[in-house]
Amino acid sequence: MSSPTTSARARASTVLRAPYFWGIVAIVLLLAINTIRDPGYLAISVHPSTGNLAGNLIDILRASAPILMIAVGMALVVATRGIDLSVGSVMVVAGAVSMEFMSAQQSNSAGTALVALLLALGISAGLGAVNGVLVSVVGLQPFISTLVMMLAGRGIAKVITGGQNTTASNDSFRWIANGYVLGIPVVFVIAVLIVVAVALLVRRSALGLMIESIGMDPQAARLAGINRRALLLTAYITSGLLAGIAGVFATATVMTVDVSQTGYQLELDAILAVVVGGTSLAGGKFSIAGAAVGAFLIATLDKTVVFLGISSSATPAFKAAVIVIVCLLQSERVRAQIPKLRIVPRRAPKEVASA
Amino acid sequence: MSAMQTKTPPAQPRGVARTLAAVQRKGYMQALPTVAALVIFLGMLVYGEIAYGRIVQFNTLSNLLVNNAHLVILAVGLTFVILTGGIDLSVGAVIAFSSVVGVLLVNAGWNPWLVVAAMVAIGSAFGLVSGVLVQYFGVQPFIATLAMMFLGRGLASILSTQPERLADDSGFRSLGTTWKIVDGPKVNDLVISPGVVAAVVVVLVGLFLLHRTRFGRTVYAIGGSEQSASLMGLPVPRTKVWVYVISGTLAGVAAVVYTARLGIAQNITGIGWELDAIAAVVIGGTLLTGGAGFVLGSVVGALVLGLMTVLITRDGGIPPETTTIITGGILFVFVLLQRTVVRQRR
């Protein structure tokens, strides 16, 4: 991003221009608050017997994995000028399918875990495809098609488990969420690998650009010969699939699917993450890196609220504060009041491939 | 479809297509989803009466009204917002916060009427903030009201995470009493509650505001095309703030009605009600894109949802888990219907 001629001022403006700049500022602020309260908050220790890393930061990384998944999917959908309200419900369906399968098999083998995983991913991709068809072929508004899926999805999960919170035991499945690779939580490693893969896929090919073009001006995109239906389908299937992975993460942690709580209102977290990441809900641009920053911010916020001894059910109030502040910082009216911020264009220039 | 024929005076015995054409010529096409909702509601009543019995009777019908008064009130409020092409996701959380505050204040010894005013004012304040964010800071309605939803839910949880009970001797409880209008045989009484009266008043005022005033026409105009409405010199900014204030205020009213009926408030009260209300508005024939719809349609939509719950409970064979699937299904069918209507009009 920097060239030899950039002055300090220009470099500062480049940093400010990054759409997710304020998200990073917020994360640093939250971590600073925690460190003030407990100077050892940031410390990362190595568990003496297992050799795994342990510490608050590791906990935050682990908690951010499901949010990362759904936020990245949401970013793609939002870029097409859509929205996916069904991610939380898709998560619970994925969790319900895998738990129900494993509890029926009563087997501890890795094969069972793999089949459960594939079932979960298959059905979540299927639900995403239904969303995609409703939006692209039937032509319903994304808000309403995914709202229907959100209502129906939680019902489907309840039907699958018979209204029960199904529990299962399978060590391989459990490892996905609770295991470690080289001392780092597996769940975080998988999440980062998937996010990087998606980012490379959409930014190293024309896919991302085409997705943005539908969001920016559907008419122009059509005239340019872009296959709107296929792209919308791709975006919604990706979102469903990633939500399914998030659902597996969320249920594997406790090896229980709670049909009314798993993934509940996580679609709102995902939307918040995307907005914090600088993606406008009006569509036409997206930032995977921004969505990731947003996901980290939400995980940090969740952990901070609990760490400060506030009831976790009060977290939404703090999220509201974050949303309002971010939206105000992005609004023209506030920017006009703060001359220094006026260098930030309303639509920040597209960032190149980044993870 | 038979209900529509009553709307077209010349007899049209030559099939549905011809009736549809006539309806379209007369510009009634817009009302088709609402008429369909009404037909579905009556159909559900008839089906329920035949299949389970004891549906079309004073007791069941008045309970339907008493139990869904708050939903009707919410749906009327959301009709205003959705007609402008906006959305209000905060109503359920506003109810939670307003209810918890109300019960805490009553139990702290405040005058019940003052508390009622405070509860409604809380709703208005939330609506005002949403409206100002939307209109003056360019925040999308979805995000602005999402923030208010988080705020309401979070504040309610900060106040209390326990179910807060109204004291049994509290004057607030008088709002939850039921009045027997007709004393039928056995339990077949026609009862109404202050909540039902409130809902009827809200519906009447909503009808008047939307269909008979300059404000109402501005609401429709904004939904049709905000830019055109501005160019015509209509007070767009003021009206857009007002619709959110109305929706918030009615959420406050719904909080009063619901709390008085149950006597309990909790931070998790009203989870998902914004979706029920949106579903009611959509089923009632209001276009989510704004510009077309009716207050009475939303009332029918709310009653369809309420009756559906009654039928599912009565049936016993339908697992209650499927309620949301059925809601989703009904919603889906109605949106498809709207879609065809919009296509036909072009």
Side-chain angles (χ1 to χ4, degrees):
Chain A
M1 290 278 262
S2 62
S3 69
T5 51
T6 42
S7 65
R9 192 193 157 92
R11 213 175 295 140
S13 89
T14 312
V15 174
L16 272 176
R17 207 176 280 153
Y20 41 82
F21 171 73
W22 293 107
I24 296 177
V25 169
I27 295 177
V28 171
L29 256 170
L30 286 173
L31 290 179
I33 293 172
N34 288 337
T35 316
I36 291 169
R37 189 170 160 102
D38 172 10
Y41 188 83
L42 297 178
I44 294 176
S45 60
V46 177
H47 196 281
S49 56
T50 58
N52 296 326
L53 296 178
N56 293 311
L57 285 183
I58 301 294
D59 284 347
I60 292 177
L61 292 188
R62 189 203 303 274
S64 66
I67 310 175
L68 261 179
M69 294 286 89
I70 52 176
V72 166
M74 187 69 79
L76 294 181
V77 170
V78 164
T80 67
R81 208 183 271 184
I83 193 119
D84 189 349
L85 298 181
S86 68
V87 285
S89 294
V90 172
M91 280 177 72
V92 72
V93 173
V97 168
S98 50
M99 285 299 137
E100 199 63 28
F101 177 76
M102 283 187 295
S103 122
Q105 293 290 312
Q106 292 289 357
S107 150
N108 203 16
S109 72
T112 312
L114 188 66
V115 176
L117 187 65
L118 290 178
L119 271 178
L121 299 190
I123 195 162
S124 48
L127 293 179
V130 172
N131 279 334
V133 168
L134 289 185
V135 172
S136 66
V137 180
V138 184
L140 289 185
Q141 286 175 49
F143 179 85
I144 199 76
S145 359
T146 55
L147 181 69
V148 167
M149 184 56 78
M150 171 188 177
L151 289 174
R154 208 157 280 280
I156 293 171
K158 285 181 181 168
V159 169
I160 290 174
T161 64
Q164 303 295 310
N165 294 345
T166 306
T167 312
S169 57
N170 184 306
D171 290 339
S172 314
F173 202 79
R174 196 183 159 77
W175 177 81
I176 296 176
N178 296 331
Y180 286 85
V181 166
L182 303 173
I184 304 168
V186 178
V187 63
F188 181 69
V189 174
I190 300 177
V192 167
L193 287 180
I194 293 176
V195 170
V196 171
V198 171
L200 288 179
L201 183 69
V202 294
R203 285 308 186 196
R204 287 293 175 206
S205 72
L207 196 59
L209 200 62
M210 291 198 288
I211 285 178
E212 286 178 332
S213 75
I214 322 177
M216 207 171 277
D217 189 340
Q219 187 76 5
R222 193 176 62 82
L223 293 176
I226 283 172
N227 188 341
R228 182 171 169 275
R229 283 189 181 169
L231 281 173
L232 281 175
L233 261 176
T234 311
Y236 283 94
I237 291 177
T238 311
S239 175
L241 192 59
L242 291 177
I245 299 174
V248 168
F249 287 172
T251 41
T253 314
V254 283
M255 288 309 279
T256 303
V257 59
D258 181 339
V259 280
S260 56
Q261 283 304 314
T262 300
Y264 181 73
Q265 289 200 337
L266 272 191
E267 56 280 345
L268 304 179
D269 278 356
I271 294 165
L272 173 56
V274 170
V275 173
V276 168
T279 298
S280 153
L281 281 182
K285 62 164 185 154
F286 70 91
S287 156
I288 300 279
V293 168
F296 286 128
L297 172 59
I298 289 169
T300 315
L301 187 64
D302 282 341
K303 290 279 176 192
T304 303
V305 168
V306 175
F307 181 70
L308 295 180
I310 305 165
S311 157
S312 65
S313 50
T315 329
F318 297 91
K319 288 181 183 162
V322 173
I323 304 178
V324 170
I325 292 171
V326 167
C327 286
L328 289 185
L329 285 174
Q330 287 176 351
S331 89
E332 299 273 288
R333 192 174 280 255
V334 173
R335 288 204 168 163
Q337 301 294 319
I338 313 169
K340 274 190 178 171
L341 283 179
R342 235 182 313 188
I343 47 173
V344 186
R346 188 160 182 228
R347 290 202 154 209
K350 240 155 267 147
E351 26 134 24
V352 276
S354 53
Chain B
M1 295 288 141
S2 60
M4 273 165 8
Q5 276 171 343
T6 58
K7 289 217 164 203
T8 54
Q12 303 271 341
R14 302 277 300 277
V16 177
R18 190 125 173 226
T19 316
L20 276 176
V23 167
Q24 202 177 349
R25 233 184 359 258
K26 287 181 153 281
Y28 290 143
M29 205 60 192
Q30 241 186 40
L32 182 59
T34 309
V35 173
L38 199 58
V39 170
I40 289 229
F41 180 68
L42 296 176
M44 283 166 82
L45 276 181
V46 172
Y47 170 78
E49 181 64 36
I50 294 170
Y52 315 117
R54 305 200 319 281
I55 296 284
V56 187
Q57 61 173 8
F58 282 152
N59 180 30
T60 311
L61 293 182
S62 51
N63 273 337
L64 183 67
L65 287 179
V66 170
N67 294 340
N68 292 291
H70 63 276
L71 185 58
V72 170
I73 296 173
L74 282 184
V76 171
L78 263 173
T79 311
F80 281 83
V81 180
I82 293 180
L83 277 175
T84 65
I87 195 97
D88 189 349
L89 298 179
S90 68
V91 289
V94 168
I95 286 179
F97 180 56
S98 176
S99 299
V100 172
V101 169
V103 175
L104 289 179
L105 287 181
V106 167
N107 290 347
W110 280 43
N111 178 319
W113 298 108
L114 207 57
V115 172
V116 168
M119 288 172 76
V120 176
I122 286 173
S124 313
F126 269 82
L128 183 64
V129 176
S130 302
V132 167
L133 282 176
V134 169
Q135 179 56 41
Y136 294 105
F137 292 97
V139 183
Q140 282 171 339
F142 183 85
I143 285 295
T145 56
L146 181 68
M148 288 301 111
M149 169 185 180
F150 275 151
L151 188 66
R153 194 66 69 195
L155 290 179
S157 307
I158 290 176
L159 285 179
S160 163
T161 49
Q162 307 293 321
E164 298 289 338
R165 288 190 68 85
L166 272 179
D168 288 333
D169 56 347
S170 157
F172 198 90
R173 289 224 173 222
S174 65
L175 285 174
T177 50
T178 48
W179 301 317
K180 207 174 279 185
I181 304 293
V182 176
D183 193 356
K186 291 183 186 165
V187 291
N188 192 13
D189 303 333
L190 179 64
V191 292
I192 61 167
S193 63
V196 175
V197 175
V200 169
V201 170
V202 163
V203 170
L204 291 179
V205 172
L207 271 175
F208 176 76
L209 268 181
L210 266 185
H211 301 306
R212 285 284 173 272
T213 62
R214 190 172 294 213
F215 171 79
R217 280 196 291 280
T218 311
V219 169
Y220 278 97
I222 294 175
S225 163
E226 188 171 337
Q227 206 179 359
S228 310
S230 289
L231 290 174
M232 281 192 288
L234 295 173
V236 170
R238 204 186 345 153
T239 311
K240 267 176 78 185
V241 174
W242 267 115
V243 294
Y244 290 95
V245 174
I246 289 174
S247 170
T249 308
L250 291 186
V253 175
V256 173
V257 168
Y258 185 77
T259 315
R261 178 159 75 81
L262 253 71
I264 293 182
Q266 205 182 347
N267 62 331
I268 54 168
T269 304
I271 282 183
W273 285 4
E274 53 281 337
L275 301 176
D276 287 346
I278 293 170
V281 173
V282 170
I283 290 172
T286 300
L287 288 184
L288 261 182
T289 40
F294 309 94
V295 173
L296 282 181
S298 306
V299 176
V300 175
L303 292 180
V304 165
L305 289 182
L307 187 58
M308 190 185 78
T309 319
V310 172
L311 292 187
I312 286 176
T313 323
R314 275 292 168 81
D315 185 88
I318 308 173
E321 295 95 84
T322 55
T323 316
T324 51
I325 300 186
I326 299 175
T327 314
I330 295 185
L331 192 58
F332 177 57
V333 170
F334 274 88
V335 174
L336 279 187
L337 192 64
Q338 289 187 357
R339 178 98 202 132
T340 21
V341 171
V342 172
R343 279 222 181 107
Q344 297 257 352
R345 277 170 65 206
R346 282 209 185 116

